[in-house]
Amino acid sequence: MKNQSSNMKRIGLGIAALVLLGFPLIASTRYQVHIVNMAGLYILMSLGINLAMGYCGQINLALGAFMAMGAYTAALLNTRMGVPIWINMPLGMILAGITGALIALPMLKVKSHYLALVTIGLAETINIIIVNETWFTEGPLGISGIKMPELFGIPIDGAERFYYLVLICVVVGYLAARQIMNHHTGRAFIAIRDSDVAARAMGINVAKYQIMANAICGVYCGVAGVLYAHMTTYISPDIFEFKTALFVLTMTMIGGMGSLAGSVVGGLALPLTLEYFRAFKSWQLVGFGLAIMLVVLFFPGGVIGIARRLEQVRGLRLPWARKPEKPAQTEASHVP
Amino acid sequence: MNIVSIFIQTLIGGIGIGSLYALVALGYSMIYRSMGLVNFAHGQIFMIGTYFGIIWYRGMVLGLQLPYAVAFILAILLNMVLGLILERIFRPLANYDLMLMLLGTIGLGYVLENMAVIIWGAEGFAVNNPLGNTPIMISGVAVLPWTLLLIGVSALLMLGLNVFLAKAKIGKAMRAAAADRETASAMGIPVNGTNALTFAIGAGLAAAAGMLAAPIVYVNPAMGAAVGLKGFAAFILGGAGSIPGAIVGGLVFGVLEAVSAGFISSAYTKGIAFVIMIVVLMIRPGGIIGEVTVDKV
Amino acid sequence: MFLEIEHLTMRFGGVVAVNDVSMSIQRGEIHGLIGPNGSGKTTIFNVVSGYYKATGGKVSLEGKPVTGLAAHQITALGFARTFQNLRLFTSMTVLDNVRVAMGQHARAGVWGEILNTRAVQREEKHFTDRALELLRLLNIAEYAHERATNLPYGHQRRVEIARALATDPKIVLLDEPAAGLNEVETTQLRETLLKIRDSGITIFLVEHDMKLVMGVCEQITVLDYGKKIAEGPSAQVSRDPVVIEAYLGKEEDL
């Protein structure tokens, strides 16, 4: 039984890997590939916010600012000094990570909706600086002429080739997040979310882990920013506004806060669905809003939450809903 | 013109804008107090309220061109009805945690904003000022008559709200329900009813703010997001859930904006206001008037 | 002295919750702290474990001052505690509740965890083995993979104790561990306490169950209205007229 299910899992993974690797070949237009690339960037940001907010319980609405740190690092270094993506990537990650850590500092003091406002305020402030310091950032016009990357002389130009770069980043990002959650750092995040009072008594340095969670969130968004700059070759400040943070937050909630698989599901589902309904213009966004309200009011655990519930009720096993370490026994069996 | 009169002029402008923020912040505050709900769609409710009035003034409904005062009243009444409907939808949300509230109400914001685009178009328009655009001079200080009207009407509305909450029977019931839901309902106060009324009053105040703002801003479906954010900032700054806090928060935020725009840098207006707000919250994590909660072990 | 509390005072606004209390605990003993409700027992725990900043006085462990340190630093010095109202990590399994408490000994940083190095794997295995050992000590090993909140109340209390022990403490502060337990469970708790003591860990116990306190504690300190009114071996304290008076006067609290 166990062997069979692990075989099934292997076959499923194999098929998934084939689809992922072959996607640019089966996509009918380059634009489709571009949309999926964008979804990949959203997945990265969603993984980041899931670690900080879903697991560690820290409200953070400054995702756009983190992404901007990565994107502007890449754009400025590339257009002014010709620095390639391979160097911009670690630099962007570091700068975005530092921004994440700095934004975490008020969190040590301010809580809940007050904190939501502080993070919005900090993100807005960074955005205002980008818009106004034209000498450095080109202001509202943005920066154009960013070069697409090149690897050993092979240009990674065009959505199809860039797709593989995004794919590698998403897979590495997902696996790294999973490792973090499987070890002490991840457990400390959850402990802080569940009860920061008890976490302190367990010797957990709450401040340190809160800062770390937000720095990691910053790094993920920074990666997305660097990729974005080199992928679209043009960036402007409006992309990093508050609404980007909301968008990422929404897809994370729809997928499932506190579930890494939820980030993948939400990060794919939301941009693709919206793209599908693009022809409907404003109605598309009305539908988007209604969908959010329905999810929040009726399925607060998101898609992964629904999957988990099905698992428990029907004994269904959905491969992408990560199960608890052992299948849950019925609660009634050991009530005294 | 000397520096003092420029300062006074800036101050009056700031108080004007601040009164609008305060009216919006009051909506946040009242809904938060009674339902524990942080309504991030309140900016869009403000925007819809503005349209609810302006459509009558500009003859967008059956070609009727009603006087501004009538449109003002209609805006408030229509938006209160909207508030009643929305309260019913969001009743379950009040027991959820902040992230879900945030998202659910943001979803509502999307719906409202894009419905407005569908019905009234995305472009927006300027509303001609019923009191004209010529400033009057009061001992060397130039002020738009509309600004004075705006401050006056806002002050009356806030005063009226305070009297209503303190004296009227329903107002007292609303306060009781906000303070302790369970006890209030045990004493026979219909808590859901008072919540609905609270939501409606919040929406009505937002509509009033919208109608007071309309002649001096550019009316369009996206205006809700910007005003909503500032109203939220005022609500938090004053101390979430405090009625005087919302008023103080709104005025402080408006004046900060005006003064930083006039005397420091207009490009950084919004930034400076936010930075000061963050500093205030770092010093007083519960807002200016809010109580600081002690971490219970 | 092992644990030394000197002239400890804790004021909340105008209320004096703990008033100039001095006491000391020997290594390896089970020391009871009793007194009517509101006499300041839990407040002393909260000061010692770093949740409240004392208004006056000081606390030291093995001569090292504790006062003024943050809660997690105090834990690192060798203090562990449980909470009167359970504070388990509700979304974690029993095993993870215990494993997370061993984290202060984690040598691997987040990079090691991401790369899942040999050292990290070894450490992880060690955490798991030690956690299971503690769960066996408290007879709840079979629930290791259950969500902690799915366990019956008495078992949840045991998870709290296992979790406290996982921090590898020199002294554990147990805040009413018998509250809500039935007779059988209380007997088991008593055995567990003795086992913990025998493994070399000092126990500082706040408890209302007098039978348990008298049964396991070598020394007892009695508080009333935030002041220490008696102290000594349990047999002596139980006969102390001042103590009896304090309890009789507020019988309804017991």
Side-chain angles (χ1 to χ4, degrees):
Chain A
M1 180 67 195
K2 190 167 181 210
N3 238 329
Q4 198 188 342
S5 84
S6 82
N7 270 341
M8 287 290 285
K9 203 174 169 186
R10 222 169 286 162
I11 292 168
L13 274 175
I15 294 172
L18 274 180
V19 172
L20 285 175
L21 286 171
F23 172 74
L25 304 173
I26 50 178
S28 51
T29 63
R30 170 167 278 195
Y31 185 67
Q32 278 184 358
V33 182
H34 173 73
I35 293 303
V36 170
N37 288 351
M38 280 306 294
L41 305 193
Y42 285 130
I43 292 174
L44 282 168
M45 295 176 73
S46 174
L47 285 170
I49 196 59
N50 224 328
L51 289 173
M53 200 156 152
Y55 289 109
C56 197
Q58 299 294 293
I59 286 216
N60 189 334
L61 301 173
L63 302 183
F66 300 161
M67 192 189 181
M69 287 317 266
Y72 272 91
T73 306
L76 289 170
L77 287 175
N78 186 267
T79 54
R80 303 214 173 155
M81 291 188 275
V83 182
I85 189 172
W86 319 114
I87 296 173
N88 291 338
M89 182 62 82
L91 289 177
M93 284 165 77
I94 292 170
L95 278 174
I98 292 173
T99 314
L102 289 179
I103 280 190
L105 294 179
M107 298 186 174
L108 309 177
K109 214 168 159 186
V110 186
K111 302 276 176 238
S112 179
H113 32 280
Y114 296 95
L115 179 58
L117 180 67
V118 169
T119 60
I120 294 173
L122 287 168
E124 291 282 310
T125 310
I126 290 176
N127 207 279
I128 291 163
I129 294 172
I130 292 175
V131 170
N132 284 303
E133 297 308 310
T134 315
W135 61 275
F136 189 55
T137 63
E138 312 289 334
L141 294 179
I143 301 173
S144 55
I146 307 161
K147 299 263 177 326
M148 289 195 88
E150 195 173 272
L151 187 63
F152 304 126
I154 308 161
I156 308 179
D157 52 356
E160 292 86 356
R161 290 185 181 177
F162 207 90
Y163 168 84
Y164 291 99
L165 188 57
V166 174
L167 182 64
I168 291 169
C169 290
V170 170
V171 170
V172 170
Y174 179 81
L175 292 177
R178 227 175 77 157
Q179 289 295 356
I180 293 173
M181 290 318 299
N182 279 338
H183 288 96
H184 174 67
T185 305
R187 291 193 289 266
F189 287 170
I190 301 178
I192 291 168
R193 180 192 68 191
D194 283 356
S195 165
D196 69 317
V197 169
R200 280 185 272 161
M202 297 309 124
I204 295 169
N205 184 343
V206 173
K208 178 181 132 188
Y209 282 97
Q210 285 178 339
I211 291 171
M212 201 196 283
N214 285 288
I216 294 173
C217 173
V219 169
Y220 274 88
C221 298
V223 172
V226 172
L227 287 173
Y228 181 83
H230 283 283
M231 181 170 90
T232 59
T233 70
Y234 166 74
I235 60 167
S236 64
D238 57 322
I239 300 152
F240 312 109
E241 279 174 4
F242 182 50
K243 58 175 191 270
T244 303
L246 286 186
F247 193 56
V248 174
L249 213 61
T250 308
M251 66 185 66
T252 314
M253 294 289 297
I254 286 179
M257 268 285 176
S259 152
L260 296 176
S263 281
V264 178
V265 173
L268 274 176
L270 192 57
L272 299 191
T273 319
L274 277 181
E275 198 50 43
Y276 189 76
F277 290 108
R278 185 173 285 277
F280 297 89
K281 291 194 179 123
S282 289
W283 284 109
Q284 170 215 28
L285 290 170
V286 172
F288 174 51
L290 284 175
I292 299 176
M293 287 166 68
L294 287 178
V295 168
V296 167
L297 287 170
F298 300 108
F299 311 105
V303 175
I304 294 299
I306 299 170
R308 280 197 185 136
R309 225 180 304 162
L310 281 177
E311 237 177 40
Q312 279 176 350
V313 177
R314 297 271 169 83
L316 281 178
R317 295 293 298 276
L318 303 174
W320 33 272
R322 212 176 132 237
K323 39 159 195 13
E325 295 198 60
K326 219 173 125 189
Q329 292 169 4
T330 45
E331 277 175 45
S333 67
H334 43 75
V335 168
Chain B
M1 232 170 144
N2 62 9
I3 187 85
V4 176
S5 39
I6 292 177
F7 184 76
I8 293 174
Q9 209 166 298
T10 313
L11 205 62
I12 292 175
I15 293 173
I17 295 291
S19 316
L20 296 177
Y21 294 159
L23 288 176
V24 176
L26 278 172
Y28 277 105
S29 202
M30 292 193 58
I31 294 167
Y32 177 72
R33 247 166 41 121
S34 67
M35 300 172 70
L37 178 78
V38 184
N39 178 15
F40 285 90
H42 198 62
Q44 279 75 25
I45 293 176
F46 158 88
M47 178 271 299
I48 294 282
T50 314
Y51 272 100
F52 274 164
I54 289 302
I55 50 173
W56 303 102
Y57 179 63
R58 279 175 51 103
M60 291 162 76
V61 187
L62 311 168
L64 282 172
Q65 272 185 305
L66 302 177
Y68 207 86
V70 178
F72 182 83
I73 305 284
L74 278 172
I76 294 177
L77 293 177
L78 287 173
N79 225 30
M80 286 180 82
V81 174
L82 177 72
L84 289 177
I85 298 168
L86 293 180
E87 188 275 336
R88 191 63 202 86
I89 296 175
F90 280 115
R91 205 171 282 171
L93 207 58
N95 303 319
Y96 291 170
D97 72 26
L98 183 66
M99 273 185 250
L100 288 170
M101 280 183 202
L102 185 93
L103 213 66
T105 54
I106 284 168
L108 171 68
Y110 273 109
V111 174
L112 293 178
E113 185 166 329
N114 290 288
M115 286 306 290
V117 171
I118 290 165
I119 299 170
W120 296 302
E123 303 80 27
F125 43 76
V127 176
N128 67 326
N129 193 331
L131 296 186
N133 285 323
T134 346
I136 47 170
M137 300 295 286
I138 304 165
S139 53
V141 179
V143 202
L144 274 183
W146 188 261
T147 309
L148 294 179
L149 179 84
L150 185 168
I151 295 174
V153 174
S154 309
L156 275 179
L157 284 170
M158 291 179 220
L159 193 70
L161 177 71
N162 275 313
V163 171
F164 172 74
L165 288 177
K167 296 277 153 62
K169 204 172 158 202
I170 313 171
K172 283 183 192 162
M174 283 166 63
R175 268 189 8 216
D180 185 344
R181 198 187 162 86
E182 251 136 61
T183 314
S185 107
M187 287 168 64
I189 294 172
V191 174
N192 282 334
T194 56
N195 279 350
L197 186 60
T198 309
F199 215 113
I201 291 177
L205 289 171
M211 286 303 283
L212 290 171
I216 50 172
V217 298
Y218 188 74
V219 176
N220 69 92
M223 73 195 271
V227 173
L229 189 59
K230 288 171 185 173
F232 177 66
F235 151 73
I236 293 294
L237 191 61
S242 153
I243 298 284
I247 297 170
V248 171
L251 292 174
V252 167
F253 204 79
V255 169
L256 273 179
E257 254 191 12
V259 171
S260 59
F263 291 89
I264 308 172
S265 148
S266 65
Y268 277 102
T269 307
K270 221 169 126 194
I272 291 167
F274 272 118
V275 168
I276 293 175
M277 180 193 81
I278 292 164
V279 171
V280 169
L281 284 181
M282 294 299 285
I283 299 165
R284 288 189 58 87
I288 299 174
I289 298 190
E291 64 238 59
V292 180
T293 47
V294 181
D295 193 7
K296 281 192 194 124
V297 179
Chain C
M1 261 316 139
F2 182 64
L3 177 74
E4 190 82 57
I5 296 174
E6 292 165 83
H7 305 291
L8 192 70
T9 299
M10 185 73 220
R11 236 175 262 126
F12 297 103
V15 184
V16 186
V18 177
N19 191 355
D20 194 27
V21 171
S22 297
M23 60 186 285
S24 52
I25 297 178
Q26 309 263 13
R27 185 192 302 276
E29 73 177 3
I30 301 183
H31 192 115
L33 180 62
I34 62 169
N37 279 338
S39 57
K41 307 178 298 277
T42 297
T43 307
I44 289 190
F45 267 26
N46 284 338
V47 173
V48 171
S49 53
Y51 285 89
Y52 296 157
K53 289 239 175 311
T55 320
K58 66 177 202 185
V59 181
S60 55
L61 183 74
E62 296 176 315
K64 275 179 270 175
V66 169
T67 348
L69 295 180
H72 69 269
Q73 293 169 317
I74 291 179
T75 306
L77 280 181
F79 285 87
R81 69 168 291 181
T82 65
F83 295 90
Q84 194 174 333
N85 326 314
L86 290 172
R87 281 179 189 274
L88 289 173
F89 303 122
T90 49
S91 59
M92 289 170 135
T93 61
V94 170
L95 180 67
D96 277 348
N97 260 281
V98 179
R99 283 200 291 187
V100 75
M102 288 183 284
Q104 50 178 320
H105 307 297
R107 290 285 155 266
V110 71
W111 286 112
E113 294 182 349
I114 290 173
L115 299 172
N116 200 16
T117 57
R118 279 280 169 72
V120 169
Q121 288 174 19
R122 261 201 309 275
E123 196 172 78
E124 194 68 12
K125 181 165 183 318
H126 166 72
F127 285 168
T128 310
D129 292 347
R130 172 80 180 126
L132 288 170
E133 197 179 302
L134 286 169
L135 292 178
R136 274 192 295 271
L137 176 77
L138 286 138
N139 292 321
I140 44 174
E142 56 187 300
Y143 304 108
H145 298 284
E146 286 292 324
R147 253 175 84 140
T149 40
N150 287 355
L151 265 56
Y153 187 79
H155 288 13
Q156 292 192 29
R157 283 231 169 262
R158 294 189 203 177
V159 178
E160 273 232 332
I161 296 175
R163 196 176 65 168
L165 295 176
T167 64
D168 202 7
K170 293 173 182 154
I171 177 168
V172 283
L173 283 58
L174 302 177
D175 200 348
E176 298 197 26
L181 300 190
N182 61 33
E183 199 124 337
V184 181
E185 289 171 328
T186 309
T187 317
Q188 287 169 342
L189 172 66
R190 183 194 148 116
E191 279 156 23
T192 309
L193 294 182
L194 294 173
K195 263 194 269 179
I196 295 171
R197 196 263 320 267
D198 293 343
S199 73
I201 297 169
T202 311
I203 296 178
F204 190 8
L205 176 71
V206 162
E207 185 50 65
H208 272 303
D209 184 329
M210 280 310 138
K211 214 170 114 200
L212 178 68
V213 173
M214 293 304 163
V216 297
C217 294
E218 282 97 6
Q219 294 282 324
I220 291 177
T221 303
V222 189
L223 293 183
D224 193 17
Y225 291 115
K227 293 198 97 143
K228 184 170 83 178
I229 55 169
E231 169 173 61
S234 34
Q236 180 194 321
V237 165
S238 63
R239 288 192 306 268
D240 191 323
V242 183
V243 177
I244 294 165
E245 162 74 33
Y247 271 88
L248 284 181
K250 328 181 169 63
E251 204 163 18
E252 74 281 8
D253 283 346
L254 280 176

